[in-house]
């Protein structure tokens, strides 16, 4: 249980910045107020000093606009009214814009929201459960979006910066890792009039099937105070899927998962603690439990891993096996010293039975990504052919396991053979550097596909 929770928090830590402790929060508030006073004094003193630019003393790094209007795909969201329980409080909304324009901790100085409040759009302002959340975006040729969070009742100056990134046509945001609140708050914000859906997923050895259900969104957004398990969402407009994503994290998995640490087919060495942690993480994400599902280790070992506390890590690839003999799998590594968990986008997928499946992946990394490609093939496989364009490389396999060096960003065809030269399995592989909208089946994300519960077409016009 503790290992599963640790793994979940490690995965989320790269996505959400922890809220500062009360001392840092008070200091930050004081700094903002002092900055405004400093700027005012400097502006008044500019007539009395000779040095040009002296009035910039105490100001944040200058905003560097990107010329031109926002991309057309972002206009439906930017032109939508502010959503949230504080949307009608014009004074509060304006205070958010003023705060964000003066905020000097949004980034390292190279990127920030505009320093002109008139160039900042408040997309969301309101309370969701135990959190007050504000989401603001710049309005230029390449808009950035920033999120802030605090407690219900907080003024704009009391909110803490949580995220800065490129604005997308739809925003799906987790707010977590708050030491004082365990809730996993989730906000899904699309353009005005969007339709929101959630899905139940059925996994098999050959793929997955999803059943979509329309969510009730009377306030024109989805705000969940405590999303206690991972869920899949999508947002539609005019019958077209604009966005599909996963949200939330299961801080409390269901029944404990039982997994035999002995790797199937003798592929590798048993790593019981890592196998259990990876299996629990997989069960958390897929919710595959019960008498019809078993968990097995496809490969595990202890390997050299730069960047870990000991230079070593336990690695395990674990599969949830459904009634047809296959199902989703994932690979995780655990630092043998501090127990920190890592995964990699290419380490997820859906596979069939042992004797006819070859998996290829980049292993998770702690310091720098390796160009080694890991292969997990049928136990009888002794040789692999890896075709990249016009080049073919070979790798020796022991009990079906091996690897070779392949440049990052490659697209490959992989074939594996037994000792008699018979072809046992083949697969196509393409490097992935992000998790996309579906970590188990990225090709199955139906961007642009119709929905049976599509909402009305939304006509959006630009506004100042």
């Amino acid at each position: 249980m503790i290992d599963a929770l640790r793994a979940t928090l490690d995965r989320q830590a790269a996505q959400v910045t922890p809220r500062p402790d009360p001392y840092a929060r008070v200091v930050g508030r004081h700094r903002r107020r002092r900055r405004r006073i400093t700027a005012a004094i400097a502006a008044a003193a500019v007539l009395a000093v000779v040095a040009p630019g002296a009035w910039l003393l105490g100001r944040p790094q200058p905003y560097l606009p990107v010329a031109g209007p926002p991309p057309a795909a972002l206009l439906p969201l930017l032109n939508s009214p502010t959503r949230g329980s504080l949307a009608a409080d014009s004074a509060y909304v304006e205070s958010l814009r003023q705060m964000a324009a003066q905020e000097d901790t949004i980034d390292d100085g190279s990127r920030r929201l505009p320093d002109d409040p008139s160039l900042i759009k408040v997309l969301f302002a309101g309370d969701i459960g135990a959190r007050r959340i504000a989401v603001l975006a710049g309005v230029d040729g390449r808009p950035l979006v920033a999120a802030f969070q605090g407690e219900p009742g907080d003024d704009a100056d009391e909110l803490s910066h949580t995220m800065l990134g490129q604005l997308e046509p739809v925003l799906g945001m987790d707010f977590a890792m708050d030491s004082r609140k365990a809730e996993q708050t989730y906000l899904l914000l699309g353009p005005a009039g969007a339709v929101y859906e959630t899905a139940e997923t059925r996994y098999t050895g050959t793929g997955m099937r999803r059943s979509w259900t329309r969510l009730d969104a009377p306030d024109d957004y989805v705000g969940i105070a405590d999303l206690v398990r991972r869920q899949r969402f999508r947002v539609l407009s005019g019958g077209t899927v604009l966005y599909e994503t996963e949200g939330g994290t299961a801080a409390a998995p269901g029944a404990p998962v039982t997994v035999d640490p002995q790797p199937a087919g003798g592929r590798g060495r048993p790593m019981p603690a890592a196998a259990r942690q990876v299996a629990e993480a997989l069960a958390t994400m897929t919710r595959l439990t019960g008498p019809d599902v078993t968990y097995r280790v496809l490969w595990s070992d202890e390997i050299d891993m730069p960047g870990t506390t000991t230079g070593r890590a336990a690695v395990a690839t674990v599969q949830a096996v459904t009634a047809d003999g296959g199902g989703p799998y994932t690979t995780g590594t655990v630092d043998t010293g501090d127990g920190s968990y890592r995964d990699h986008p290419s380490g997820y997928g859906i596979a069939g039975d042992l004797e006819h499946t070859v998996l290829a992946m980049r292993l998770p990394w702690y310091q720098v990504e390796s160009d080694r490609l890991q292969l997990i093939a049928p136990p009888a496989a002794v040789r692999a052919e890896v075709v990249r364009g016009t080049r073919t490389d070979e790798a020796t396999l022991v009990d079906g396991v091996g690897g070779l060096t392949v440049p990052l960003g490659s697209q490959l065809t992989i074939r594996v053979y037994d000792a008699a030269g018979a072809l046992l399995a083949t697969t196509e592989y393409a490097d992935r550097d992000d998790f996309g909208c579906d970590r188990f089946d990225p090709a199955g994300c139906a961007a642009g596909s119709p929905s049976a519960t599509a909402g009305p077409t939304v006509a959006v016009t630009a506004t100042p």
Side-chain angles (χ1 to χ4, degrees), residues 36 76 147 173 176 184 218 241 244 296 324 344 358 394 397 404:
R36 288 198 295 271
M173 311 175 77
Q184 307 287 323
V241 177
E244 186 175 330
R296 66 184 174 197
D324 67 350
H344 189 279
V358 56
E394 291 195 355
L397 306 177
L404 72 167

Side-chain angles (χ1 to χ4, degrees), residues 26 40 69 78 100 134 166 202 220 226 232 298 308 371 406-407:
V26 171
L78 286 172
Q166 292 298 137
R202 179 176 178 269
D220 212 17
D226 191 12
R232 177 153 293 275
L298 300 181
T308 58
D371 58 1
V406 179

Side-chain angles (χ1 to χ4, degrees), residues 366-381:
Y366 290 70
Q367 187 175 69
V368 61
E369 187 169 12
S370 171
D371 58 1
R372 176 181 168 83
L373 187 73
Q374 184 70 33
L375 302 178
I376 306 172

